[in-house]
Amino acid sequence: MSQVSELGASMPRLEASAKATGVARYTADLAFPNMLHGAVLMSTSAHARIKSYDVSAARALPGVRAVMTGADIPRKRFGLMIADETALAIDKVRYIGEPVAAVAAIDRETALAAAELIQVEYEDLPGVFTPDEAMMPDAAIVHETFAAYPKNFDCIADGNAISIAQVLSGDPDEAWAEADVVVEGVYETQAQYHAYMEPVAAVADVDGLGRVTVWSSTQSVFRTQICIAEALDLPRAKVRSISPYVGGGFGGKSEPGVQIIAALLARETGRAVKVVLSRQEDMMMMRSRHPARIHLKTGARRDGTILVRTGSVVMDGGAYADDSPAAMHMVLHFLRGPYRVPHLRFDGRVLYTNKLRAAAFRGVGNAQATFACESQIDELARKLSLDPIDLRLRNVLQQGDSWLGKHPIGSASIGECLQRVRSESNWDARRAALAEAPTSKSGKRRGLGVSSVVYTCAYLSTSAIVRLLDDGTVTIATGAVDIGQGSDTAIAQMCAAALRLPVDSVNIVQADTDATPFNSGTNASRITYMLGQVIAQATDDIVSQLFPHAAELLECSVEDVELVPGGRVAIKGVKERFVSFADCSRRAHFKAGGPIIGRGSYVFRVEEPDTELTINKGMMSLAAIGTYVFGAQVVETEVDEVTGKVEVVEAWSAHDVGRAVNRQAVEGQIEGGLVQGIGFALMEELVWSDGQLTNPSFMDYKIPCSLDAPENIHAIVIENPEPTHPFGVKGIGEPPVIGIAPAVGNAVEHAVNVRVRQLPITSERVLRCLLDRGS
Amino acid sequence: MARPKIRNELRFILNGEDVALSDVGPDETLLDYLRLRRSLRGTKEGCAEGDCGACTVLVGKLASGKLVYENVNACIRFLGSLDGCHVVTVEHLRGEGGSLHPVQQAMVDFDGSQCGFCTPGFVMSLYALWMRSPDPSVAAIEKALQGNLCRCTGYEAIVRAARAISRYGQAAKDPLATERKRVAARLAAIRDGSRVEMGEGKRRLVVPADVDDFASVLDKEPAATIVAGSTDVGLWVTKHMRDISPAVFIGGLDGLRAISEVKGLVTIGAGVTYSEAFSTLAKRIPALGPLFDRIGGEQVRNMGTIGGNIANGSPIGDTPPPFIALGATLTLRRGKKRRTIPLEEFFIAYGKQDRRPGEFVEAVHVPVPAKGSHFAVHKVTKRRDEDITATLGAFHLTLAKNGTVASIRIAYGGMAATPKRATAVEAALLGKPWTEAVIEAALPAYDLDFTPLTDMRATAEYRQLAAKNLLRRFFAETSGTKAPVMVTRQEAA
């Protein structure tokens, strides 16, 4: 297979055959000589003081090599934005499922049995299980020492609040007077579980020098390294973090899973230790999407022009902050939608509760905001008797417009995306036909709904090192973790395209903090955009070192040579007078100059928001948030009026990706994200009872299966090359999940004339609304 | 009964290799064996309860002398159930001349794999489908993949791959097809008529030689756990850490796997799987076809048995309500003694069935509905497929010539501690004209029949409402009216 790379062509993933044959090794598949197996004891109390431990029976069990509790670990806290976590609970437990103790034994069965023998004496404290309970004046405090925790943003908080923030633009109080119509509603979204197919896992080992090496299922080897180092009180250089193949993440593996526990056990025993969570443990111990309640109000002129929007947001952050502040800031950032809204104010508050921590999940914050925003746009359209797409088009951002505080939006293609789904779905005719069709004899009706989608795709920093090997092939080290989205292939394609090499001449180095340079992580749809930036730099660097060798060998001037396809440098316009990369690289390796290494480093930063235009209180800096990505989604749903059951029967999803690097992979992101959005819209919900998760299994927590996916998904790829990017690309990882829930809600209203403002739109909720509607 | 020969060894074929094991516990799963003892790590653990399909492997078994390969969940399949079987894992797949197998090549070319963790499981389910049906329809593909979860692709690319497999090779030339005779002969040789027995105390495992042997084993060890398809018992072990020893594995007993029909009465042996029952039942009682398609995923349907679904007495088992509505009876056996009872009488209370010590369910007898009668089943779940029932209603109606209800049997699952008949509702309808007014008047009787529970699948209120609406749907389907009228707020209250 020797494909000359053309960006935009479809090609199989580099690692596809390893995955199809079962050869690809994931963390749980790793084995080392003498390796021990770990197990974690989870808290059985939602909120309690730990009075004492008795580990004697566990230690006495044959085969047990280490038993550790919070009393045996450094009292060092870690956390992305607020350092509030420890790897094992210290002094207090804050949710049922929190790791309290850990065991290493000769096999997993023994480790699990030993964990069960550990006695923990709890003194139960009152718990807070909802944001409303957490906000009561006399509420139990989840983190008494919150004020002392290190934080890396301008944190405003009180009581059980993790972060309180506000976005204000224009003069919303005055603007209401100008509005002819006002729509108002409360929109609620649920705790959705990431449900990556590979449960969290880690293997840790130590060497004689006190270095810890951890292989784990992670979205960021560097975040893993940082958290282990902080929790174990070690310098970064004493921790090496590697990712084997990762079985999905969707945001749930950005922050640590069980890596720190594995590292603690490895240090304690001096042996490799593997910790793999069961599905139930993963669901009880790890994370969910943030539940949110959004009170939103929009005012518009009679012609549909939006004048003003205000909202207040309450989010449930669970027991630890993780990236809760960022998630809430994203809600506030995106609540305006891709529309011109001259006057707005959004207030938000995310709270600690005694439940599983909430965290980033594909479309973090945005999915919640968009459900409220795009449901309400349809409610406005209904009130004004306007077509929902017409109303959107009247208000969409135009080229030259900006986001809050003059934040640049790049190509403002939201209108184009809406037009495309309108034409491809035959919206006007189909909607009219469905509205007129009689209810089927078995009680089913169909409807068509739309949603706009806007997201951003660049964030923080990244780097790359490209090495030209002596045979003319290249090795690229980036620290980017491919969690299944296909970034390794996209990286190889961009690198190959820049150097005009076949893709199979590019080798990707597995993410490894010892071997690959810094990359903040696989999140925020950032990898393809960010890596493109540093690949362009690094390959330019290679070319600038390569050309002098070529010029020497060709006996001409550096200005007179150019790259030609197939790993060659030729005299300009005379492609038969060439030298190969191998010729040049061998000369560099053995004669002159030394091996050729290219480097690229990039941090995404735009100007700070203009505080004259927008006030951002308690928010992380928006200057780090990247380039805007626009899209639009349409779904046709069928509603069963007998049971309330909703199904998505067809879907259209149009996204401006700048430029598709691997078209087939882009379509795969759109299809996969869309079906995850269907899960969010219709069926997925973690449910607690007094702090106890009631459905921690795939038996009781349902994600979409093959028959829940629509019969037809139309992935529509729009390409307006991104002007700030050397390859013109934008990220597409998250946008496809975002608009589905509101599009489904809008389609349900179109079908049966009820508005469901609470996710998931279950049979039960629909039936209840149908009852309220009457026959 | 002559005591059969005893063999202290389990024998099966794993990929190309004959395996004989004499140190197997009753609760050792195939998945643990593959991953831990054999380092065959292409087979993944995603849920350990038969819901995600990441652990899918093929099991070839002899059925009436014919070798049939089925995709199953290794995570809830016990080694004890594999005597005389051929286990095929993803590592066994090869294409011609060392290339990728056609299923794998299609998955590669059509981008059917993203994170890849579920991929070996999908490959195995697609392999089973392809051998059975080299050119499947989209509907057949989606049905075949019901039991495999993928969180990345949205399934579209996998379906495209599935449709293209035959472009990459011919199913008839696949090694599992060409070696079928040889493998069948090896499996037949393993099944030497012996009883397999091993272990003591917590590690006791028995595979009876035949049904008579099973009857005598159970007579002697009435406390033994009977394991047929292990789709339920598997979870007792992987989720609830229950001790199932001594365990008697009956999934391979031909004597429990017969389906026959005499004078409109279909008799289904207790060991018949959902998949095996499907063709007969869907043909003779068409309303059961769509229901059976919605029980578990294909792996579960290939393992789970009708007898197990009844014997475990779950209030949300999917087969008892329709069988009760049809007037089915159940044969129980102890030693040589048999008794036959109406199916609904088997279910006494939650977790309590009329199965006496040493007794086992041998067969269920299901009457085919008479011509002109109406029979329907409706299942309500959170997810459309491979989901547990919130409520399931089965209706069997015969109308007299004058349009009155000559007979009606209604049974529900998910509405009480057992599968249960709606006797008060039936009484309110019997002898009355089959009209909307009569249906409406009968609805309050639901509150006499059922006091459902609230759990994470549905609230009590929803269950009651949906149950009533299902009767309305049945009425709409069996009468000339248009769309069913919805339950109103007053009636709900």
Side-chain angles (χ1 to χ4, degrees), chain A residues 12-13 17 19-22 24 26 28-29 31 192-195 197-198 246-248 250 279 440-442 483-484 640-643 645 647 664-665 668-669 671-672 675-676 684 694 697-700 702-710 713 763-764 767-768 771-772, chain B residues 35 41-42 44-47 49 51-52 90 100 104 108-109 111 113-117 119-120 123 142 145-146 149 151-157 160 235 239 380-388 456-459 461-462 465 469 473 476 479 481 483-484 486-487 489:
Chain A
R13 281 148 206 268
S17 61
K19 287 173 173 173
T21 53
Y26 298 79
D29 301 332
Q192 183 187 21
Y193 170 58
H194 297 77
M197 294 313 298
E198 178 206 20
V246 177
F250 314 112
R279 180 61 59 184
S440 80
K441 186 168 160 125
S442 59
I483 57 174
D640 181 340
E641 292 201 324
V642 170
T643 62
K645 182 89 194 152
E647 285 178 23
Q664 177 171 268
Q669 286 299 298
E671 292 163 352
V675 172
Q676 235 173 53
E684 296 182 37
T694 61
S697 71
F698 281 156
M699 190 188 335
D700 295 326
K702 290 299 179 189
I703 65 171
C705 74
S706 57
L707 286 152
D708 294 298
I713 296 179
S763 312
E764 177 146 11
L767 196 63
R768 188 163 294 147
L771 285 176
D772 291 339
Chain B
R35 289 184 58 85
R41 301 196 183 105
K44 308 297 182 193
E45 177 177 321
C47 70
E49 58 180 20
D51 276 300
C52 79
V90 70
L100 288 180
Q104 295 168 324
V108 167
D109 288 353
D111 210 22
S113 174
Q114 289 190 21
C115 86
F117 194 79
T119 305
V123 165
E142 288 183 344
L145 297 180
Q146 247 174 307
L149 294 178
R151 191 59 153 171
C152 297
T153 63
Y155 304 101
E156 301 290 301
R160 288 193 284 270
L235 273 61
K239 303 275 292 191
V380 178
T381 55
K382 213 165 187 176
R383 185 171 69 185
R384 188 168 67 179
D385 290 282
E386 208 217 347
D387 194 0
I388 292 167
M456 94 290 280
R457 286 185 195 98
T459 63
E461 183 199 11
Y462 177 73
L465 275 172
N469 270 357
R473 168 164 287 169
S479 63
T481 60
M486 293 309 106
V487 178
R489 179 56 83 184

Side-chain angles (χ1 to χ4, degrees), chain A residues 241-286:
Chain A
S241 162
I242 301 170
S243 77
Y245 285 107
V246 177
F250 314 112
K253 294 174 181 170
S254 290
E255 293 299 299
V258 289
Q259 294 98 335
I260 302 170
I261 292 173
L264 285 164
L265 292 170
R267 275 170 39 112
E268 185 75 5
T269 59
R271 286 164 66 169
V273 181
K274 175 153 84 180
V275 184
V276 180
L277 295 187
S278 69
R279 180 61 59 184
Q280 178 174 337
E281 288 170 332
D282 191 288
M283 294 183 79
M284 293 179 70
M285 215 185 281
M286 287 298 135

Side-chain angles (χ1 to χ4, degrees), chain B residues 353-407:
Chain B
Q353 297 84 42
D354 182 17
R355 185 167 74 85
R356 298 166 192 165
E359 238 180 9
F360 62 93
V361 172
E362 192 173 46
V364 61
H365 317 279
V366 185
V368 175
K371 270 211 174 111
S373 75
H374 301 278
F375 174 67
V377 195
H378 295 296
K379 174 173 169 172
V380 178
T381 55
K382 213 165 187 176
R383 185 171 69 185
R384 188 168 67 179
D385 290 282
E386 208 217 347
D387 194 0
I388 292 167
T389 293
T391 181
L392 180 150
F395 308 87
H396 186 201
L397 165 76
T398 311
L399 292 175
K401 283 211 175 103
N402 64 3
T404 59
V405 176
S407 78

Side-chain angles (χ1 to χ4, degrees), chain A residues 381-613:
Chain A
R382 207 175 170 79
K383 203 156 186 174
L384 292 167
S385 301
L386 290 173
D387 174 85
I389 292 182
D390 286 343
L391 175 64
R392 284 172 173 81
L393 288 173
R394 172 173 287 278
N395 290 287
V396 288
L397 290 168
Q398 306 291 338
Q399 200 64 45
D401 286 352
S402 57
W403 206 263
L404 303 172
K406 284 232 180 283
H407 202 243
I409 58 167
S411 1
S413 50
I414 177 64
E416 184 182 351
C417 294
L418 284 163
Q419 297 284 17
R420 279 298 292 278
V421 290
R422 171 176 236 163
S423 61
E424 303 263 342
S425 69
N426 197 13
W427 168 270
D428 299 274
R430 189 184 286 257
R431 214 169 126 93
L434 291 175
E436 281 159 26
T439 303
S440 80
K441 186 168 160 125
S442 59
K444 292 177 180 174
R445 289 195 63 80
R446 290 188 173 194
L448 204 60
V450 67
S451 175
S452 299
V453 175
V454 55
Y455 205 55
T456 53
C457 75
Y459 194 46
L460 299 175
S461 72
T462 199
S463 46
I465 296 169
V466 180
R467 291 183 291 139
L468 188 63
L469 307 184
D470 68 298
D471 67 347
T473 60
V474 301
T475 282
I476 177 164
T478 72
V481 181
D482 190 334
I483 57 174
Q485 83 279 30
S487 61
D488 279 358
T489 309
I491 287 167
Q493 283 180 281
M494 290 189 289
C495 187
L499 293 172
R500 310 197 73 178
L501 281 171
V503 174
D504 61 3
S505 294
V506 179
N507 168 49
I508 307 274
V509 182
Q510 176 184 38
D512 175 344
T513 55
D514 270 13
T516 55
F518 184 79
N519 180 317
S520 64
T522 301
N523 34 48
S525 303
R526 62 188 287 282
I527 292 294
T528 306
Y529 180 96
M530 295 295 286
L531 266 296
Q533 298 279 9
V534 292
I535 287 166
Q537 288 178 19
T539 51
D540 283 350
D541 195 2
I542 293 273
V543 168
S544 72
Q545 296 172 56
L546 191 63
F547 278 10
H549 290 287
E552 284 290 329
L553 290 168
L554 290 166
E555 297 178 335
C556 65
S557 121
V558 172
E559 287 75 38
D560 292 338
V561 299
E562 64 180 358
L563 286 182
V564 290
R568 294 170 176 182
V569 185
I571 292 178
K572 275 183 188 163
V574 197
K575 63 175 188 282
E576 58 276 14
R577 294 262 337 260
F578 70 88
V579 287
S580 67
F581 281 18
D583 297 332
C584 300
S585 191
R586 270 198 296 273
R587 184 172 187 274
H589 272 79
F590 302 114
K591 280 191 184 155
I596 294 173
I597 298 173
R599 64 175 287 278
S601 279
Y602 181 77
V603 60
F604 188 90
R605 202 79 189 170
V606 294
E607 283 188 23
E608 291 291 340
D610 183 340
T611 50
E612 295 280 306
L613 294 169

